[in-house]
Each structure stands twice: as structure tokens, then as C-alpha cells.
Amino acid sequence: METALAPPDGSPNPKVTNAVPREAVESWEREWLAPGGTRSVGAGNRDRSEAPDPLRTAFQRDRDRIIHSTAFRRLKHKTQVFIAPDGDHYRTRLTHTLEVAQIARTIARALRLNEDLAEAIALGHDLGHTPFGHLGEDVIRDVMSIEYHHAAQSVRVVEVLERRPHGLNLTLEVRDGISNSSWNRGLPSTHEAFVVRYADRIAYLNHDVDDAIRAGLLSEDELPLSVARSLGSDSSERITSLVSDVVATSDVTGPCGEAGGVVMSRPTFEVMDELRSFMFERIYLGPPVARDMGVARRVLTCLLEQFRSAPVGAPEGLPADAGVPGDALDRRVIDYVASMTDRFAIRTYERLTGRTADLPSV
Ligand code: MG
């Protein structure tokens, strides 16, 4: 078989004959994926039709469009749990997203589901997160009196705000998975999207424990006893236990929505839930985050109110190209502020008020 290695004499590469065209991957998917796995077909189900790619399946293309988006790059400066932490080892929304994608791919491959679809959904699932994480979401809800949800905003990012005004033109399956990636949203329509729901929870619970220990807010022996006993005594063991349980318990031999599906066993789910309740009490709703809430509220309330009242395009107002020009002002303000990174929100606040944001140090 010929390869794509360059010949030593520096002459052009020989013709690559072992390339796998998209059709071959699709035919492999038809044979190899579990009966309930989602097959990619041609250019995929898209709002605007386009020609199929010669090499990549529809879901590979969606994954690549998400990775190349500006919203994806901004995730590196958005809060996971701690606002703009000083330490280099804390998770950000970007590293959270990558950990979700890793876990989702592991589960998808083990279950013979479509790994590319699971990866695309995972990489896109948090694109609509505000600066300062869930705290920012709460402030937008309060100040703007709307039902803001980051999953719905993630869909808006890929459908409208990236490559305005037409969006990334992703497949229906990827948008459905992003839209329903949170457990308090509707049920998604593919097994791969259910995989991402589990992967998201498995990822954040474990890396947030890890970061809370790093910040000195927790120690391993304070976790509920059942967690160490059933899942393991460190993050790596716990992730392995949770992932293995999903793989062992799920049944994807039928279409999504029928009996079985991607599930976790009841006893393991209960232990994971106990860990989640513990994290809410100690960290997510605990004193450290209450302290951060002061910063998030001060900064975002100022920005939202300022942009609603100052003339669009003025130095102290909403930039003329923010959001989608032509949309209602409130919609544009929400799109603009929600898209900000923590550090851009803080810089903008400091520029507009002449005051420092007084960040907590983690
Ligand atoms: Mg997430």
C-alpha cells in the first residue's frame, strides 16, 4: 500500500492511494455502528443544502465548523467554576468542553455509536455560556427578565451569531443534541446526544472536585463515603467507574426513544447524584461562589443596563455591529454580553466605570 510520506529526494509526494473517501466511511458506519447508532448520510440534514464533502462525513464537518468558530475560542476565557482564576491548572469552559468530548467519545465508541456526532455535540454544547458561568446566566435572567438558558443560546450561536446572519448550517442532529444537552431541557432524539448528557455530568462533577481540592476548599476525605466506596478514591477512578457503568448498562440495539437507550444503573446514578448534591451544597451554592456572585452581578448588571440606555455605536454604548443589527435592542444586548469572556467583560466594565472589578483570588 502506498503512503503519503514525502520521498527522501524532496520530489513531490506520490499519489496517495489509501485515502478513504466519505462514502467508504459511510458504508463502514452502516456495517459497524450499533443498530441504534446514527448514520451520517451525504451532506446531512441541513437547513440550507450544500454539496457533500469528498473526505469528511456530515458530522465530521460539523465538528470542524465548531472548532473553527470564534465562540469556541472564547471558551478558553470563560468561567467553569472560579472566575478568572490565577492558577494555570484550573478548568475553564474550554477544558471542560474538551473533557466532555473525550468522555463522550469513549462511551460512543464502546457502544458502537457515532463518535463524530457525539464529539460535535460535546464541542458545541456550552458555546452559549455567559461570562462567569451559571452566575452570569442568573444575572441576565434577572436584569433582562427573560428565560435565558445557555443551551438555547448555544443553538443561537451556531444558527445565527457565527458567520452572521446564516450561522454554521449544522445538521439537525447536532443542533438537537446541543439544544437538549442539559438535563433540564427536552429529550434529545439520538443516542449520541444522551451520551453527551452523561459525559457532561461525569466531566464537571469530577473536575470540579479536583479544582475545589486544588483551591483548598475541599479535601478528598470530605467527599461522601459512598463516593469513594462505589466509584473510587480519585478523579481518574471515579470517571472510569461512571463511564464503565454507562457502557455496561446501556442498550442501543433499538432506535433512540425506545426501551433501553443510553442509561446509568440506578445504584451508580444514586451515588453520582449524592456527589452532585454535595457539590451544590459545598461549592456551587457555597460561600466561595457566593463571593464570586458579587463580582458577576456588579459587572454584568452594569454592562446590560449601560448598553440598554446608551446610544448604539457611541463610545459608551453597544458597538454598532454587536449581535444582529436589525434585531430588537434587548436581543442584541443579550447576544453581545453573553458572548463576552470573563476578562473582556471585566475590561469593558472597568473602561466604562473607571472602577476596578475587585476580582477574588483563587
Ligand atoms: Mg457543560
Side-chain angles (χ1 to χ4, degrees):
M1 185 182 285
E2 292 179 55
T3 71
L5 289 176
D9 62 1
S11 59
N13 284 346
K15 187 173 183 302
V16 178
T17 56
N18 58 349
V20 179
R22 187 201 75 257
E23 290 95 330
V25 180
E26 289 171 354
S27 124
W28 172 82
E29 285 184 358
R30 277 195 296 278
E31 295 295 316
W32 167 255
L33 293 187
T38 308
R39 272 76 181 160
S40 53
V41 181
N45 293 317
R46 301 180 192 275
D47 286 352
R48 290 189 311 289
S49 62
E50 34 183 271
D53 188 86
L55 294 178
R56 297 169 300 164
T57 67
F59 300 135
Q60 285 180 282
R61 276 175 115 180
D62 283 4
R63 175 203 57 202
D64 297 349
R65 287 176 191 184
I66 291 167
I67 288 178
H68 287 278
S69 68
T70 55
F72 185 76
R73 293 197 290 281
R74 288 196 300 270
L75 294 175
K76 72 179 170 185
H77 292 299
K78 291 196 176 204
T79 290
Q80 173 55 32
V81 171
F82 302 111
I83 293 182
D86 303 328
D88 290 337
H89 295 156
Y90 291 100
R91 269 68 171 195
T92 63
R93 196 56 66 179
L94 179 64
T95 55
H96 159 71
T97 294
L98 296 175
E99 292 183 33
V100 175
Q102 178 270 310
I103 291 170
R105 287 181 54 193
T106 300
I107 297 173
R109 187 180 293 185
L111 290 174
R112 287 203 283 154
L113 293 172
N114 196 314
E115 202 175 323
D116 298 321
L117 173 57
E119 185 181 22
I121 296 169
L123 293 176
H125 87 285
D126 271 352
L127 291 176
H129 254 298
T130 59
F132 316 131
H134 291 283
L135 301 179
E137 219 168 340
D138 289 344
V139 176
I140 288 184
R141 276 192 204 110
D142 293 349
V143 175
M144 306 302 282
S145 304
I146 56 153
E147 273 307 306
Y148 186 93
H149 194 293
H150 69 269
Q153 186 71 11
S154 298
V155 174
R156 184 163 168 80
V157 167
V158 299
E159 287 187 343
V160 180
L161 299 176
E162 282 290 326
R163 292 197 212 160
R164 287 179 303 175
H166 298 303
L168 301 178
N169 199 31
L170 302 184
T171 59
L172 191 61
E173 292 85 349
V174 171
R175 286 180 288 143
D176 163 79
I178 292 174
S179 175
N180 299 303
S181 56
S182 291
W183 292 55
N184 56 5
R185 302 275 294 172
L187 294 178
S189 60
T190 64
H191 287 309
E192 288 80 358
F194 278 95
V195 166
V196 175
R197 280 187 170 204
Y198 278 103
D200 187 23
R201 187 165 288 192
I202 292 170
Y204 79 71
L205 282 175
N206 286 288
H207 63 50
D208 291 350
V209 166
D210 194 48
D211 280 356
I213 291 173
R214 180 167 288 107
L217 299 169
L218 268 189
S219 63
E220 192 74 49
D221 55 15
E222 287 178 279
L223 298 180
L225 266 181
S226 59
V227 171
R229 218 172 22 229
S230 309
L231 304 180
S233 55
D234 62 30
S235 260
S236 170
E237 283 182 13
R238 288 192 286 270
I239 292 172
T240 301
S241 301
L242 292 164
V243 165
S244 305
D245 185 279
V246 172
V247 171
T249 313
S250 299
D251 175 359
V252 292
T253 52
C256 184
E258 293 193 355
V262 175
V263 288
M264 186 177 270
S265 70
R266 176 53 52 187
T268 301
F269 189 85
E270 282 171 5
V271 176
M272 183 172 76
D273 222 31
E274 202 181 336
L275 177 59
R276 187 166 175 270
S277 302
F278 171 84
M279 287 299 286
F280 265 91
E281 193 182 316
R282 283 292 299 271
I283 305 296
Y284 303 141
L285 301 176
V289 174
R291 177 201 59 190
D292 287 1
M293 185 64 181
V295 177
R297 196 166 285 285
R298 187 163 62 247
V299 170
L300 293 185
T301 302
C302 164
L303 297 182
L304 292 164
E305 289 180 346
Q306 173 81 15
F307 293 142
R308 285 174 109 181
S309 57
V312 174
E316 69 282 14
L318 192 71
D321 63 349
V324 179
D327 277 359
L329 180 63
D330 275 9
R331 182 69 257 173
R332 294 178 66 189
V333 169
I334 292 166
D335 286 339
Y336 184 56
V337 172
S339 76
M340 291 180 174
T341 60
D342 294 12
R343 63 183 196 170
F344 185 74
I346 289 164
R347 276 207 308 267
T348 307
Y349 167 85
E350 293 183 342
R351 175 176 65 80
L352 292 172
T353 64
R355 295 195 293 269
T356 61
D358 289 331
L359 285 188
S361 179
V362 178

